[in-house]
Amino acid sequence: MSSKSIPSPARRVIASLLWCLLIALCESFQSVRIYSSCRSNSLGHNRHDTSLAAGLFGKKEKEEKSSSSAPQPQAAVKRIFNIPAQSIKPGGLRFALGLHLIGLQNTPDHGSWKANQATDTILEMTFRDNSAMFSITLGDEGIAVDRYGTPSLPYLLQESVILHSVLDEINSLANEGDIEVQNRLLRLEESGNAIEEARSTLPARKA
């Protein structure tokens, strides 16, 4: 007894359904891959942007291996300026300046700088061309700013912009607002004008 063959129209309908099912399965698989890739990239991006913020809030993370192209502390160190102080509250000052640096990372455009908390008393800013970086060290006797690496011309121009802003913030913390002197995060030496002297060392004037 011979089996009846499936009519041609029915075969076409079945083939169409199987083809649609195959397409749906492929799209589903591709969506899963895209989601996994995006989630991985998002997590990596968040770790990059929150490294300094985590340090500011006291969370210690393992240090990433530094890139071979990034400027190293032992190479071509130069003291840019030093601001003597009568007293410093290092924890609060690190927090305030750290938040300020985070806000400057995209100056003049996105990804220009990367802020990092090296230790409890040292904040760092690395320029995107990796030619140089600067550090802000909070010591018992004042604030020291050092440059590492061989700076490019774009670095020097943008470093001045950032450090003028940092000096504005230091001046605000030391002198502005209705805060009792003993409660300030930073008390500068009464003699001299340390802020303006620090500005005079920068390659570009304040805009």
Side-chain angles (χ1 to χ4, degrees), residues 86-87 89 174 179-187 190:
Q86 290 184 354
S87 66
K89 300 184 189 311
I179 303 174
E180 296 292 335
V181 174
Q182 64 272 18
N183 293 329
R184 289 190 178 274
L185 299 178
L186 172 68
R187 293 175 58 192
E190 295 180 1

Side-chain angles (χ1 to χ4, degrees), residues 7-25:
S8 295
R11 286 202 300 271
R12 285 196 294 270
V13 170
I14 293 172
S16 297
L17 290 174
L18 290 174
W19 180 249
C20 290
L21 179 60
L22 179 61
I23 291 175
L25 288 173

Side-chain angles (χ1 to χ4, degrees), residues 36-114:
S36 299
S37 176
C38 290
R39 185 172 183 274
S40 176
N41 289 339
S42 175
L43 289 173
H45 180 71
N46 288 338
R47 283 194 296 268
H48 172 82
D49 286 350
T50 59
S51 60
L52 176 54
L56 293 177
F57 286 98
K59 180 181 178 182
K60 298 299 182 183
E61 296 184 351
K62 293 182 179 179
E63 295 184 0
E64 298 179 356
K65 293 182 179 179
S66 58
S67 170
S68 59
S69 61
Q72 299 301 314
Q74 65 269 23
V77 58
K78 178 183 178 181
R79 173 64 49 88
I80 302 175
F81 59 75
N82 183 68
I83 300 178
Q86 290 184 354
S87 66
I88 284 181
K89 300 184 189 311
L93 187 58
R94 181 199 71 219
F95 185 85
L97 292 180
L99 287 179
H100 191 70
L101 292 179
I102 288 175
L104 295 173
Q105 287 185 120
N106 295 324
T107 302
D109 46 43
H110 183 74
S112 292
W113 294 90
K114 179 183 177 182

Side-chain angles (χ1 to χ4, degrees), residues 147-160:
R147 180 190 302 133
Y148 302 93
T150 304
S152 62
L153 180 57
Y155 171 90
L156 290 174
L157 294 176
Q158 294 307 319
E159 179 195 69
S160 294

Side-chain angles (χ1 to χ4, degrees), residues 137-150:
T137 303
L138 310 178
D140 294 334
E141 298 180 353
I143 301 173
V145 176
D146 299 308
R147 180 190 302 133
Y148 302 93
T150 304

